[in-house]
Amino acid sequence: MRASEALLWTFGTLSSFASAIAGTTLTDDDLRNIPSPGSDFDIKDGKLLAPILIPRVPGTPGQVKAQEHLVSFFKTNLPGWEQTWHNSTSRTPATGDAEVPFNNLIFRRDPPWARAGDVGRLTLVAHYDSKLTPEGFIGATDSAAPCAMLLHAARSLDAALQARWKAAEDAGEADTSLEPAAGLQILFLDGEEAFAQWTDDDSLYGARALAAHWEQDFHASMSTYRTSLSSISLFVLLDLLGAENPSIPSYFMTTHWAYRKMAVLEKRMRDLGLLEAKARRPFLPDADKDAARFRGGFGGTVQDDHVPFMQRGVEILHMIPSPFPHVWHTMDDDGEHLHLPTTRDWAKIVTAFAAEWLDLTGKLPPLAPAKEKRTKKEAAPAGERADL
């Protein structure tokens, strides 16, 4: 078999496994039941986004405030989720001999009957730190908004996950000997940004430490998954999201089928009138990308938090635009420069993707009627949560 034929065969084989791995296709009614974050993404007083729109440099009071916001959100709204810290320290080019703390936050929602080593987890990821320079840099797209998107996804999916697991228990299907259990894991990674200039040593501090740790974090013997690292079914990394008219390429051939599933969901939601942004083109334009266009079988890669995990064999879906937003690493990357319709749309698309992956068809609770509190100039986003 020639190399080109082998590449196409591999591409087709991977795509054929999609339905078996990633759950049942959501119905149109399911998509209508995906809530919008609505006013919770307000940049001044939104419950999810506003508290993160501050400088969050590792080891500073601003970062502690961001940590407190993330922890408080889960404790208050999602008490059934397991919370874990992964802590490390490192010297940086900007801090001399001082050890800077890096604190990764991990939140998990697993089926109640399953042991940790028998759960394969869809893993949604964003970094929550911000750059040291320029002084006062906020990083709204980089990555306060992606963090808020993950909070919204967790909140939107929790009731459906519980409903799915109760149905499995009632049907006598709560048995990992029949098939591995599926859970949801959200990572807020620290220390993505370089302190001086991006190098292999001055970047990805939290991701490098966590990937190395999980590679050696072994589960009990006879577990389905050998380590915490191997239990990641897909690592979905969100970065630089929230600017208008984004274009996200499909970076990796091995996960192009997953990219395509998200692209299909975007198109369906747009066709149903469930997205707000009047985009010039799809956010995910590479749905029909040919296998031969993936360079070396992996495509080009942007240096980001996925790299230490990818180097250890984890499958990656990298949601980062190309080109980067024009505000990238400038003081204009703040709340005022976010395009909120696009930001809210991303929250819904990511939530829909996770719902389909986790086989939540028919389990998403119907949305409550939107409250009529807006003026005529400010229409309510489709399907805004009305209970918070």
Side-chain angles (χ1 to χ4, degrees):
M1 183 182 293
R2 291 179 300 177
S4 59
E5 293 174 340
L7 185 65
L8 292 170
W9 180 87
T10 301
F11 183 76
T13 302
L14 289 168
S15 297
S16 71
F17 289 141
S19 59
I21 298 174
T24 306
T25 300
L26 295 180
T27 67
D28 288 354
D29 283 341
D30 290 325
L31 295 179
R32 294 185 182 100
N33 289 331
I34 300 290
S36 166
S39 60
D40 282 348
F41 273 19
D42 185 274
I43 65 172
K44 298 298 183 184
D45 55 14
K47 295 178 182 179
L48 301 188
L49 178 58
I52 324 175
L53 290 174
I54 57 175
R56 308 173 304 280
V57 178
T60 67
Q63 193 192 47
V64 173
K65 289 181 180 179
Q67 293 169 352
E68 290 172 347
H69 170 60
L70 299 173
V71 171
S72 175
F73 171 82
F74 278 89
K75 183 177 181 180
T76 302
N77 298 283
L78 301 170
W81 288 60
E82 174 192 352
Q83 175 199 318
T84 306
W85 292 85
H86 175 265
N87 303 317
S88 62
T89 62
S90 180
R91 297 178 182 179
T92 79
T95 54
D97 291 334
E99 293 282 337
V100 177
F102 296 100
N103 311 115
N104 299 315
L105 271 164
I106 304 146
F107 296 94
R108 288 175 178 164
R109 192 65 152 128
D110 291 343
W113 63 82
R115 299 185 309 165
D118 293 330
V119 182
R121 300 185 184 93
L122 173 66
T123 301
L124 307 179
V125 189
H127 74 88
Y128 73 96
D129 63 302
S130 62
K131 277 175 57 64
L132 176 65
T133 59
E135 185 176 357
F137 176 79
I138 289 176
T141 67
D142 191 15
S143 272
C147 288
M149 295 169 195
L150 298 189
L151 296 179
H152 175 73
R155 181 180 65 183
S156 302
L157 295 169
D158 190 63
L161 285 168
Q162 293 184 65
R164 173 160 173 28
W165 294 334
K166 183 179 186 304
E169 290 178 315
D170 291 347
E173 297 172 353
D175 185 354
T176 55
S177 67
L178 300 175
E179 62 179 51
L184 179 59
Q185 178 170 250
I186 293 180
L187 308 184
F188 297 102
L189 296 178
D190 196 1
E192 187 267 354
E193 300 286 6
F195 279 72
Q197 185 174 359
W198 190 284
T199 66
D200 289 346
D201 296 323
D202 186 19
S203 64
L204 312 182
Y205 291 91
R208 286 188 284 119
L210 183 62
H213 173 68
W214 275 359
E215 187 177 32
Q216 300 299 321
D217 184 29
F218 293 96
H219 292 138
S221 60
M222 305 302 291
S223 295
T224 305
Y225 301 99
R226 187 165 179 258
T227 66
S228 294
L229 196 73
S230 63
S231 68
I232 297 174
S233 55
L234 183 68
F235 187 102
V236 184
L237 175 59
L238 279 57
D239 202 357
L240 302 185
L241 299 181
E244 191 173 12
N245 293 313
S247 180
I248 313 295
S250 181
Y251 289 99
F252 306 112
M253 187 185 70
T254 58
T255 55
H256 180 63
W257 63 270
Y259 174 99
R260 188 159 53 193
K261 278 186 168 289
M262 190 180 290
V264 168
L265 287 166
E266 180 201 355
K267 183 179 187 305
R268 289 180 60 202
M269 296 177 84
R270 205 172 294 286
D271 290 346
L272 289 168
L274 301 176
L275 301 181
E276 296 180 62
K278 307 303 180 185
R280 294 194 299 262
R281 60 183 295 185
F283 294 175
L284 301 157
D286 277 0
D288 297 324
K289 185 173 182 177
D290 188 85
R293 291 172 54 204
F294 289 90
R295 284 176 278 172
F298 292 97
T301 183
V302 178
Q303 295 296 301
D304 207 344
D305 278 320
H306 66 289
V307 171
F309 296 85
M310 183 175 67
Q311 290 171 338
R312 293 168 169 84
V314 175
E315 295 286 7
I316 307 296
L317 185 60
H318 195 190
M319 308 307 296
I320 190 170
S322 179
F324 290 175
H326 71 276
V327 298
W328 178 65
H329 284 188
T330 73
M331 292 299 289
D332 283 343
D333 191 5
D334 57 15
E336 284 73 14
H337 287 85
L338 285 173
H339 188 251
L340 290 178
T342 296
T343 305
R344 290 189 289 260
D345 284 353
W346 273 123
K348 295 185 71 173
I349 292 167
V350 170
T351 300
F353 176 83
E356 189 163 277
W357 183 281
L358 294 164
D359 204 12
L360 300 183
T361 302
K363 299 296 189 294
L364 292 157
L367 295 178
K371 295 179 180 178
E372 297 181 358
K373 289 186 176 181
R374 290 174 172 77
T375 66
K376 292 181 179 179
K377 293 182 179 180
E378 186 182 7
E384 178 178 340
R385 288 181 65 95
D387 56 335
L388 292 176

